[in-house]
């Protein structure tokens, strides 16, 4: 568990200032490790989080992926982030997500309990809360921006490339993820070619659904690559779009994998939103997880 001697590292404050200014930032793994160490996370926990995806089984719609997810509520009223009961998941074209399974209700395996118990994971929830605490995003329709709660869906995602099938971290091409903030953390790679999994960040004028290699360069505002365990890309999701290049195998005769954890955060929905019936804030009974985020000191809620 995290102890009471935690502090927010100045590097994290700098990244929050960068997000305020340019609406995205990339935190290299070495900086993430300093930030997590400031939150009293051990190096052992940081190393362990990189290898926790081996139990992932399958994905409800994608043949080249294995996935699980879990829902969390960050409540600045109680200053706690806690795991909520499992929910169905849906993303629609109206939320800038254009894929064959847009609008489909998807059921994922529940996020592993040992991942939620990992101190680095809990530190990442705290980093996420620190960014959310002062975030003033461009509003999406049918979200309650008066709430002092945020809903975060965490995905543990493994993209898999085999000699028969190329894995696509973002088959949907240029997109947004239907939320206010996306935070993608790299866990590990195996047999991953050096030009794989490169993320471009785009202005909203970039057309949705365009393949990563067909984007209009005039709308590209940045490029980042997740390569080391705990590299983090943070994007204000309704203000910048993104696309990701495929996973190519260094040795094409062998399987390749790329594991990431995504934290998709948005305000709670109101009636009429496609996710309104899947937005429970009841705690998870059998897989509880609670993180004290009072260190974040949200200026809106004190
Ligand atoms: Fe995405």
């Amino acid at each position: 568990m995290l102890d009471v001697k935690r502090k927010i590292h100045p590097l994290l404050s700098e990244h929050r200032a960068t997000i305020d200014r340019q609406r995205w930032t990339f935190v290299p793994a070495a900086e993430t490790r300093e930030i997590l160490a400031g939150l009293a996370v051990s190096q052992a926990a940081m190393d362990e989080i990189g290898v926790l995806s081996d139990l992932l089984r399958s994905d409800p719609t994608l043949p080249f992926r294995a996935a699980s997810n879990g829902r969390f509520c960050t409540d600045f009223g109680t200053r706690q982030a806690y795991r909520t009961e499992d929910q169905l998941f849906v993303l629609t074209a109206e939320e800038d997500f254009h894929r064959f399974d847009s609008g489909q209700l998807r059921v994922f395996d529940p996020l592993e309990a040992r991942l939620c118990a990992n101190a680095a994971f809990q530190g990442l929830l705290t980093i996420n809360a620190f960014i959310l605490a002062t975030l003033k995003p461009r509003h999406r329709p049918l979200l309650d921006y008066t709430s002092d709660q945020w809903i975060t869906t965490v995905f543990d995602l493994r993209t898999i490339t085999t000699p028969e099938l190329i894995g696509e971290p973002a088959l949907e091409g240029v997109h947004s993820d239907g939320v206010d903030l996306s935070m993608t953390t790299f866990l590990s790679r195996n047999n991953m070619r050096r030009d794989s999994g490169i993320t471009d960040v785009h202005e909203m004028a970039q057309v949705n659904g365009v393949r990563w290699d067909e984007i209009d360069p005039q709308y590209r505002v940045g490029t980042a690559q997740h390569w080391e365990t705990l590299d983090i890309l943070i994007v204000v999701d309704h203000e910048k779009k993104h696309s990701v290049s495929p996973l190519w195998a260094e040795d094409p005769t062998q399987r390749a994998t790329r594991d990431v954890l995504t934290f998709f955060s948005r305000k709670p929905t109101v009636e009429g939103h496609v996710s309104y019936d899947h937005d429970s804030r009841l705690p998870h009974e059998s897989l509880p997880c609670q993180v004290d985020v009072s260190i974040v000191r949200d200026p809106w809620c004190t």
Side-chain angles (χ1 to χ4, degrees):
M1 288 296 292
L2 302 173
D3 71 26
V4 292
K5 296 178 202 153
R6 300 178 298 158
K7 61 180 188 307
I8 297 295
H9 196 287
L11 280 169
L12 184 55
S13 302
E14 284 174 27
H15 280 289
R16 188 161 77 174
T18 302
I19 293 167
D20 285 346
R21 196 174 62 251
Q22 70 177 19
R23 315 314 274 162
W24 70 280
T25 194
F26 181 74
V27 188
E31 294 188 13
T32 306
R33 285 177 176 271
E34 283 192 58
I35 292 164
L36 288 175
L39 294 171
V41 177
S42 69
Q43 295 295 322
M46 296 182 215
D47 293 338
E48 184 197 44
I49 198 174
V51 294
L52 284 178
S53 299
D54 285 342
L55 291 179
L56 289 175
R57 291 191 294 275
S58 63
D59 185 280
T61 58
L62 299 177
F64 50 75
R65 199 168 79 171
S68 64
N69 82 0
R71 293 284 289 269
F72 293 81
C73 175
T74 299
D75 187 334
F76 286 121
T78 62
R79 294 170 179 269
Q80 301 291 313
Y82 64 94
R83 185 169 186 173
T84 67
E85 57 186 355
D86 293 326
Q87 307 279 292
L88 295 171
F89 184 80
V90 60
L91 267 181
T92 61
E94 292 72 44
E95 296 166 292
D96 292 325
F97 187 81
H98 293 251
R99 204 168 69 186
F100 71 90
D101 52 356
S102 296
Q104 193 171 318
L105 282 171
R106 287 181 273 163
V107 181
F108 290 86
D109 290 336
L111 205 62
E112 283 282 323
R114 61 178 186 159
L115 178 61
C116 301
N118 174 278
F121 176 83
Q122 298 186 10
L124 291 170
L125 273 178
T126 306
I127 292 171
N128 191 51
F130 181 75
I131 305 299
L132 292 175
T134 56
L135 185 69
K136 293 177 183 166
R138 181 177 154 229
H139 289 191
R140 286 184 177 276
L142 301 173
L143 297 183
D144 179 8
Y145 288 92
T146 67
S147 172
D148 57 6
Q149 295 179 326
W150 291 86
I151 305 293
T152 297
T153 306
V154 178
F155 279 95
D156 187 1
L157 297 171
R158 165 167 287 182
T159 303
I160 304 161
T161 287
T162 66
E164 291 78 37
L165 185 63
I166 297 287
E168 295 270 1
L171 180 66
E172 58 274 24
V174 173
H175 70 285
S176 289
D177 287 299
V179 293
D180 293 308
L181 189 77
S182 77
M183 183 175 105
T184 304
T185 304
F186 196 68
L187 296 181
S188 65
R189 58 184 152 81
N190 180 39
N191 193 29
M192 179 172 161
R193 209 171 78 187
R194 197 65 180 88
D195 55 347
S196 301
I198 294 173
T199 301
D200 281 341
V201 180
H202 312 278
E203 295 289 5
M204 296 304 279
Q206 170 66 58
V207 174
N208 285 327
V210 172
R211 276 176 53 93
W212 63 277
D213 56 351
E214 294 170 356
I215 58 110
D216 188 335
Q218 71 170 310
Y219 298 128
R220 179 170 51 203
V221 295
T223 297
Q225 185 181 32
H226 290 94
W227 189 253
E228 301 294 346
T229 301
L230 296 171
D231 281 339
I232 302 178
L233 178 66
I234 303 174
V235 180
V236 181
D237 187 61
H238 195 35
E239 300 183 35
K240 296 282 181 271
K241 297 177 180 177
H242 57 281
S243 59
V244 191
S245 66
L247 170 60
W248 289 290
E250 182 69 38
D251 175 353
T253 68
Q254 300 296 316
R255 176 180 133 113
T257 57
R258 174 184 186 266
D259 298 343
V260 300
L261 264 186
T262 64
F263 296 70
F264 291 143
S265 301
R266 58 165 169 72
K267 285 295 187 183
T269 55
V270 299
E271 201 157 3
H273 191 286
V274 65
S275 293
Y276 182 66
D277 292 334
H278 319 294
D279 230 13
S280 168
R281 274 159 270 172
L282 293 174
H284 202 301
E285 283 191 2
S286 58
L287 297 169
C289 175
Q290 184 155 320
V291 180
D292 180 347
V293 294
S294 52
I295 191 173
V296 162
R297 299 185 204 288
D298 176 8
W300 293 354
C301 298
T302 48

